[in-house]
Amino acid sequence: MKERELTCIGCPLGCALTVTMDGDQVLKVEGQSCKRGEAYGRKECTHPTRIVTSTVAVKGGSMARVSVKTKTDISKDKIFSCMEAIRGIEVQAPVHIGDVILKNVAGTQTDLIATKNVL
């Protein structure tokens, strides 16, 4: 058996989690103060995901770049593919919060969306 020490990011408390595993199987999660902690510990040890944030160039806007993020979390092993897909994108102003900048970014089944208005 193996133990992993994690800091939970499921809520603002930041609980210190201990996840006990047997191979790829989670046996128990300890140290959480809420239900989200257990779910986070299990997911982080079996299928870690992240929201990717970045910026893309804006042509003809009040600002040169607009902040973007993936609409949902993606598998951690797809982050570099996602960033490669984002590199070199240039959008035309105006850009509004929630606009889809790139559909199905890097085959992740999630869209890249704008998180700021650039007029």
Side-chain angles (χ1 to χ4, degrees):
M1 283 195 284
K2 177 173 100 173
E3 287 189 347
R4 282 190 62 189
E5 303 291 328
L6 303 171
T7 300
C8 181
I9 60 171
C11 79
L13 292 177
C15 296
L17 304 179
T18 301
V19 181
T20 304
M21 300 185 66
D22 186 8
D24 290 340
Q25 182 150 1
V26 174
L27 301 178
K28 65 181 173 179
V29 179
E30 298 175 298
Q32 70 275 15
S33 297
C34 67
K35 289 188 282 186
R36 288 184 274 180
E38 181 169 358
Y40 172 77
R42 288 181 179 281
K43 185 177 177 186
E44 184 64 15
C45 289
T46 58
H47 182 68
T49 60
R50 299 291 185 270
I51 297 282
V52 173
T53 60
S54 189
T55 62
V56 298
V58 177
K59 186 175 182 180
S62 58
M63 295 172 47
R65 302 192 74 75
V66 64
S67 55
V68 294
K69 72 175 192 109
T70 52
K71 191 171 185 176
T72 61
D73 52 343
I74 65 169
S75 180
K76 208 170 160 185
D77 63 357
K78 296 277 189 175
I79 291 173
F80 289 109
S81 299
C82 182
M83 292 303 296
E84 187 63 35
I86 293 170
R87 183 183 307 179
I89 292 176
E90 183 176 64
V91 295
Q92 181 67 45
V95 180
H96 298 96
I97 294 173
D99 283 356
V100 175
I101 303 300
L102 182 61
K103 287 188 171 289
N104 189 25
V105 61
T108 60
Q109 307 302 311
T110 195
D111 297 336
L112 187 70
I113 61 170
T115 60
K116 185 174 181 108
N117 292 322
V118 177
L119 304 175

